[in-house]
Amino acid sequence: MDVAGGVLTVRASGAAAAKAALTGGATTPEHIQLLLRCPVPAGVGGAGAELRFPDCSLHVLPAGVVALTVAEARLTVGFGELKPLMFQPVPVDAALRSVFSGAVAHVLAAAHVLDPHGLAHHLVGLAELVLRSALRAELDRVDALAARRREALEYMREHLADPELGADRVAEALFISRRRLYQLFDDGQGVAERIRGLRIDRAKALLADPAKAGRGIGEIARDCGFVSAAHFSRTFRQVVGSTPSQYRAR
C-alpha cells in the first residue's frame, strides 16, 4: 500500500461509494478509511497487526501504514463535510501524527486487557479526532491560498498596463517566491497565460464600451499592456477568434 509519509489519505469503502465521492454523487459510503504512515510499534511482527470490531477496524502493516476504518454512521462529522479530504494526500502536522501513532501503539500493546466495546469507542473517537483536525487544517490552508490568489489577481489587474508585468514582478510585490506564486495557480493555467487573459478581458470591455469608441486600437493596446498594436491584434485574434476592429464592430 503506497502511502506517502506525513500525509493522510481518506477513502470511502466500496466501489460505488468511491465513484460517488469522486464524481459528486449522493451515495454515502458505509465506511470511511483513514490511511496514515507512522512508526510501527516494536511488537508488530512481519504479518502486521489487526483489530476488528463491528463498527471499526485497525490494521497496521509492517511498512508503517496504519489503516483505521470506521462506520460512517458512527462519526459526528458528515460525509459531505469530509469531501475536501477525500481521495487526495492531505498534509498532517507532526504533532497530530505523534498523537495518532502513540494512540495506535498503546492500543496494540494493551488490546488483550481492554474491553472490546470500549476499545471500539476509543478507535472511533481517534478517527474523528484525526478527521476533524485534518479538515480544519485543510480548510484553513485552502482559505489562505485563496486569499493570496486574490491578492495576486488584484495586483495583476492594477498593473495590466505595464508591459513588464510578469511572474517575477507579481511574486516580488507579494513577497513570495516565484515557485510559491505558481503554486497559487496550479489549475493548469500559468501566470503568464492568466495575465494575458486578464488583458484580453480588459480589451474586450474597452472595445465594447460606446464611450470609448473614439479611442484607437493602439491606445487600447497600450492601456492593456501590449507592446504594440500588431502584437495586440495577433493575440486578440488568437484568443477571441476575431480582430479587435471586428469585435468592436459587433
Side-chain angles (χ1 to χ4, degrees), residues 22-246:
L22 290 171
T23 59
T27 303
T28 299
E30 292 185 3
H31 293 85
I32 300 294
Q33 185 177 67
L34 291 71
L35 298 171
L36 187 64
R37 182 180 294 278
C38 57
V40 177
V44 175
E50 186 174 19
L51 298 174
R52 285 191 174 274
F53 306 96
D55 288 337
C56 65
S57 66
L58 177 68
H59 190 192
V60 183
L61 303 177
V65 175
V66 177
L68 178 56
T69 306
V70 180
E72 191 276 339
R74 291 289 306 277
L75 298 170
T76 62
V77 55
F79 177 63
E81 299 172 273
L82 294 175
K83 286 293 182 69
L85 301 180
M86 300 302 295
F87 298 97
Q88 61 178 336
V90 179
V92 177
D93 184 85
L96 181 57
R97 293 201 308 273
S98 178
V99 168
F100 182 76
S101 62
V104 170
H106 292 151
V107 162
L108 292 176
H112 63 289
V113 298
L114 297 177
D115 173 70
H117 187 70
L119 181 51
H121 274 287
H122 178 68
L123 291 176
V124 171
L126 178 61
E128 179 136 333
L129 173 65
V130 173
L131 287 171
R132 285 183 174 273
S133 300
L135 180 61
R136 185 180 67 177
E138 181 66 10
L139 292 178
D140 287 345
R141 186 187 72 84
V142 170
D143 285 345
L145 286 175
R148 295 298 274 168
R149 189 182 299 116
R150 285 193 297 271
E151 289 179 25
L153 288 172
E154 287 173 6
Y155 183 85
M156 292 176 190
R157 292 190 180 98
E158 290 173 2
H159 296 83
L160 282 180
D162 182 0
E164 300 298 321
L165 178 65
D168 289 335
R169 183 72 59 81
V170 178
E172 182 181 352
L174 269 63
F175 302 102
I176 59 176
S177 67
R178 183 186 177 100
R179 179 175 177 271
R180 180 60 172 164
L181 176 65
Y182 278 101
Q183 289 177 342
L184 297 179
F185 299 99
D186 60 354
D187 55 0
Q189 186 179 39
V191 175
E193 186 178 355
R194 194 172 300 269
I195 292 174
R196 185 184 69 168
L198 291 173
R199 284 177 167 148
I200 293 298
D201 288 343
R202 174 174 290 184
K204 289 166 67 176
L206 293 174
L207 290 167
D209 187 352
K212 304 292 191 300
R215 304 188 66 186
I217 299 300
E219 290 180 89
I220 291 178
R222 286 191 297 274
D223 286 346
C224 298
F226 290 95
V227 295
S228 67
H231 178 225
F232 169 52
S233 295
R234 285 195 305 269
T235 304
F236 192 92
R237 184 166 189 168
Q238 180 184 0
V239 175
V240 180
S242 63
T243 67
S245 298
Q246 292 169 338

Side-chain angles (χ1 to χ4, degrees), residues 3-17:
V3 178
V7 299
L8 168 71
T9 301
V10 184
R11 307 191 304 192
S13 65

